[in-house]
Amino acid sequence: MRDSGWQHGISRRSLLRGLGSLAIAQGLGGCRAQPASVLRVELLRGSVPPQLIKEFGRQTANQTIQVKTDAQAQLQDLFSLLQSLEQTPTAELQQNAWWDWIPLIGDPTRGVLPDWVTLGDYWLQTAIAQKLITPIDPKALTAWGEIAKRPALATLVTRDADGFPAPTGQVYGLPYRVGSMVMIYRRDLLEQQQIAPPKDWADLWRPEFKHRIALLDQARTVIGLTLKKLGRSLNTADLATVPNLEAELLALQHQTKLYSGASYLQPLVLGDVWVAVGWSTDGLPLAQRDRKLAIATPTAGTALWADVWVHPAKASQPLSPAASRWADFYWQPDIAKQLSTVTWAVSPVLLGTPRDQLPATFRDHPALLPDPAILQASEFLLPLPPTAIAQYQQLWEKVRRTPPAA
């Protein structure tokens, strides 16, 4: 965990006093030159390969951009970080102590106010509403021209002041990788039972999968996949307009053995269930290690998610040249391919690229980049108004009160 500025000051103060006269005597009392630009980035751990951070440094070496990164384990941690930054006086976030400019002792890049923070698109609405992040001028970014060519991505990050999608709103985030909700299944067990593998959401209702399914313990995802099965949008705002929705959910409830927020894949590995619904970044690396597992992206379309760069509200305005370079860097085609194959989430740059023009990883793992027809039918889970959220929650609680099949 990174120490705050005052913690560093207390821990080093007595040492620095003792070294003061020695530093002067040895000619070290002068201040060191500040780097032309210091770029600070707070990352989701594993979402950016270390080699790409090094490559960014290599490409910007002539601009003397010094990159300082820190990684958090969960998106929740990064959202909490944004809240903490907003509650901390700006002067404390930007201040460097005088000793940070002493060669060999200080660290002139030690400030804690990041230029970019990774945030999941799920958190965008709340972050905007709480004024934790600030709009980004797309004119400062070469990459925005490519993002604008992909309407779903542009809609995802163009929001009003309350955080809801708005065509006339402002840009609040820059997507750099995309994943999806998939079906992960035990290939070996289905072959033994001579059962056809699932290909679409409707297959979860097949009799042979009764009591053999693990689902995420989330109202939007389970109701959403049922809406897709019925040919409706994941972002349906009025569930009362969907005939048979409750009956379909109850039928799926009888198919389900368990719900889980984080451990839904363990029962699959143990063979307690045959199919699990979860996220591609969980399933793809596991299927790479365990050949008994396979993954299907439903042909009716699925839920998409994106990790985005956001700019903290207290960060410098407008974007610094270094911050702009960082965002544009990840939209280079070669960089996009490396990021996708290492992190198991596809760069938006590659959406729509023919599979035969991509590295072998994409051919070996089709779920990494679904076919264009599936992508066309897929959607990001967008924020809904409070009345709609109440509908989802009420229906979810009603269905969950019905015990799964014995």
Side-chain angles (χ1 to χ4, degrees):
M1 180 177 295
R2 190 208 316 261
D3 293 327
S4 65
W6 65 266
Q7 288 172 317
H8 276 280
I10 291 173
S11 63
R12 295 182 180 182
R13 186 174 297 138
S14 59
L15 172 63
L16 288 166
R17 284 175 177 168
L19 290 177
S21 58
L22 177 62
I24 293 172
Q26 293 181 344
L28 299 177
C31 293
R32 81 169 88 188
Q34 185 175 9
S37 184
V38 179
L39 177 70
R40 299 179 178 88
V41 185
E42 290 283 348
L43 302 167
L44 175 65
R45 187 174 300 151
S47 71
V48 176
Q51 61 264 36
L52 292 189
I53 298 175
K54 292 180 180 179
E55 175 61 19
F56 175 80
R58 189 191 67 77
Q59 289 191 16
T60 58
N62 62 343
Q63 300 173 32
T64 60
I65 295 175
Q66 194 160 356
V67 184
K68 303 287 285 186
T69 63
D70 194 12
Q72 303 292 334
Q74 303 291 336
L75 290 168
Q76 172 71 66
D77 299 331
L78 289 158
F79 180 79
S80 298
L81 171 67
L82 286 170
Q83 290 180 315
S84 176
L85 293 174
E86 186 58 27
Q87 294 164 7
T88 304
T90 303
E92 292 184 20
L93 295 172
Q94 296 176 330
Q95 184 175 2
N96 284 90
W98 62 266
W99 53 77
D100 278 324
W101 303 102
I102 298 177
L104 306 179
I105 297 175
D107 179 4
T109 69
R110 183 174 49 78
V112 296
L113 184 58
D115 298 276
W116 292 115
V117 176
T118 297
L119 201 62
D121 67 281
Y122 171 83
W123 302 95
L124 268 181
Q125 191 272 323
T126 307
I128 296 169
Q130 294 185 10
K131 302 188 184 308
L132 307 180
I133 59 177
T134 191
I136 301 163
D137 181 5
K139 295 178 183 177
L141 301 165
T142 304
W144 182 254
E146 292 299 317
I147 296 173
K149 294 177 184 178
R150 298 160 172 84
L153 288 176
T155 297
L156 179 69
V157 297
T158 305
R159 307 289 182 101
D160 63 19
D162 295 318
F164 291 93
T168 58
Q170 294 179 289
V171 176
Y172 280 91
L174 300 171
Y176 69 94
R177 64 176 203 152
V178 175
S180 61
M181 188 165 65
V182 296
M183 297 183 293
I184 309 128
Y185 61 91
R186 284 290 298 264
R187 184 205 324 258
D188 59 330
L189 297 179
L190 297 188
E191 289 176 352
Q192 291 172 16
Q193 300 293 325
Q194 297 184 330
I195 295 174
K199 295 182 178 180
D200 207 350
W201 295 126
D203 291 328
L204 298 179
W205 279 258
R206 282 163 35 188
E208 55 267 39
F209 290 132
K210 184 175 181 179
H211 214 212
R212 294 292 188 179
I213 296 172
L215 296 178
L216 293 167
D217 192 9
Q218 299 169 358
R220 284 294 302 272
T221 56
V222 177
I223 294 176
L225 72 86
T226 308
L227 288 168
K228 294 304 287 185
K229 184 222 180 191
L230 296 172
R232 298 300 188 100
S233 170
L234 289 168
N235 300 303
T236 299
D238 185 0
L239 298 182
T241 64
V242 185
N244 301 323
L245 177 59
E246 182 177 335
E248 293 283 357
L249 283 166
L250 288 171
L252 182 58
Q253 169 84 341
H254 290 305
Q255 295 285 96
T256 303
K257 183 167 186 178
L258 62 94
Y259 297 87
S260 176
S263 302
Y264 63 94
L265 288 177
Q266 184 177 3
L268 184 70
V269 173
L270 295 175
D272 294 335
V273 298
W274 294 349
V275 183
V277 174
W279 304 111
S280 53
T281 41
D282 293 335
L284 281 165
L286 186 60
Q288 171 75 3
R289 298 191 300 268
D290 187 346
R291 306 306 294 177
K292 297 190 297 293
L293 301 178
I295 298 178
T297 305
T299 55
T302 188
L304 302 175
W305 56 264
D307 285 336
V308 301
W309 303 121
V310 297
H311 197 51
K314 290 186 176 179
S316 60
Q317 304 295 332
L319 290 177
S320 68
S324 298
R325 282 295 305 271
W326 176 269
D328 287 334
F329 173 77
Y330 290 95
W331 279 72
Q332 298 178 48
D334 289 344
I335 300 302
K337 291 176 183 178
Q338 292 182 58
L339 183 142
S340 301
T341 54
V342 175
T343 72
W344 297 105
V346 68
S347 166
V349 178
L350 304 180
L351 298 177
T353 302
R355 200 174 299 278
D356 59 4
Q357 298 179 19
L358 295 172
T361 302
F362 293 88
R363 296 189 291 273
D364 297 338
H365 302 279
L368 181 58
L369 180 59
D371 290 335
I374 295 177
L375 283 173
Q376 185 67 29
S378 300
E379 305 168 80
F380 290 100
L381 286 167
L382 300 176
L384 297 172
T387 53
I389 293 295
Q391 270 193 337
Y392 276 74
Q393 195 60 34
Q394 182 179 12
L395 178 57
W396 178 244
E397 291 173 358
K398 183 177 181 180
V399 170
R400 290 299 306 274
R401 284 195 297 267
T402 302

